[in-house]
Amino acid sequence: MSLTADDVNKIAYLARLAIDKEDVESYAKDLSGMLDLMTLMGEVDTTGVKPMAHPLDQVQRLRADAVTEHDQRGLFQAIAPQVETGLYLVPKVIE
């Protein structure tokens, strides 16, 4: 797919980007090359290829799902201006 300078200007307007007039042709060439590459990649036969989250066969290291802090709600609510049945009371904002 080949983009024109007009296409690049439209894209820049939609993305709210300011592009110098002398750079528009360069952007058009680069973006066209990227779109051509995506077209080629879309034509590759991927039947039998399993999707993966990472290009290398690695196991993701996860931390243990353990509590690291103690419940301090009572401490925080003791210094709150207004609390009722474990909830913070705040002024009504919407009428």
Side-chain angles (χ1 to χ4, degrees), residues 2-11 24-25 27-29 32:
S2 181
L3 293 177
T4 63
D6 203 27
D7 294 330
V8 172
N9 286 326
K10 287 179 188 176
I11 293 168
V24 172
E25 290 298 326
Y27 281 117
K29 180 182 172 195
S32 294

Side-chain angles (χ1 to χ4, degrees), residues 10-29:
K10 287 179 188 176
I11 293 168
Y13 172 76
L14 291 172
R16 304 297 190 255
L17 297 173
I19 299 178
D20 293 331
K21 293 192 186 299
E22 60 269 5
D23 294 336
V24 172
E25 290 298 326
S26 173
Y27 281 117
K29 180 182 172 195

Side-chain angles (χ1 to χ4, degrees), residues 90-95:
V90 296
K92 187 175 183 179
V93 178
I94 301 174
E95 294 185 28

Side-chain angles (χ1 to χ4, degrees):
M1 177 177 200
S2 181
L3 293 177
T4 63
D6 203 27
D7 294 330
V8 172
N9 286 326
K10 287 179 188 176
I11 293 168
Y13 172 76
L14 291 172
R16 304 297 190 255
L17 297 173
I19 299 178
D20 293 331
K21 293 192 186 299
E22 60 269 5
D23 294 336
V24 172
E25 290 298 326
S26 173
Y27 281 117
K29 180 182 172 195
D30 291 344
L31 288 172
S32 294
M34 289 180 213
L35 291 173
D36 290 341
L37 177 62
M38 298 308 290
T39 302
L40 285 174
M41 290 176 70
E43 295 171 357
V44 174
D45 181 25
T46 57
T47 55
V49 177
K50 290 190 263 182
M52 58 173 88
H54 195 277
L56 302 177
D57 190 23
Q58 295 178 342
V59 177
Q60 185 175 3
R61 296 180 293 167
L62 301 175
R63 64 175 173 80
D65 189 15
V67 176
T68 58
E69 290 187 13
H70 300 289
D71 183 18
Q72 298 181 9
R73 184 173 76 172
L75 175 69
F76 295 135
Q77 288 189 347
I79 60 174
Q82 289 183 313
V83 178
E84 186 177 296
T85 62
L87 301 174
Y88 296 96
L89 299 179
V90 296
K92 187 175 183 179
V93 178
I94 301 174
E95 294 185 28

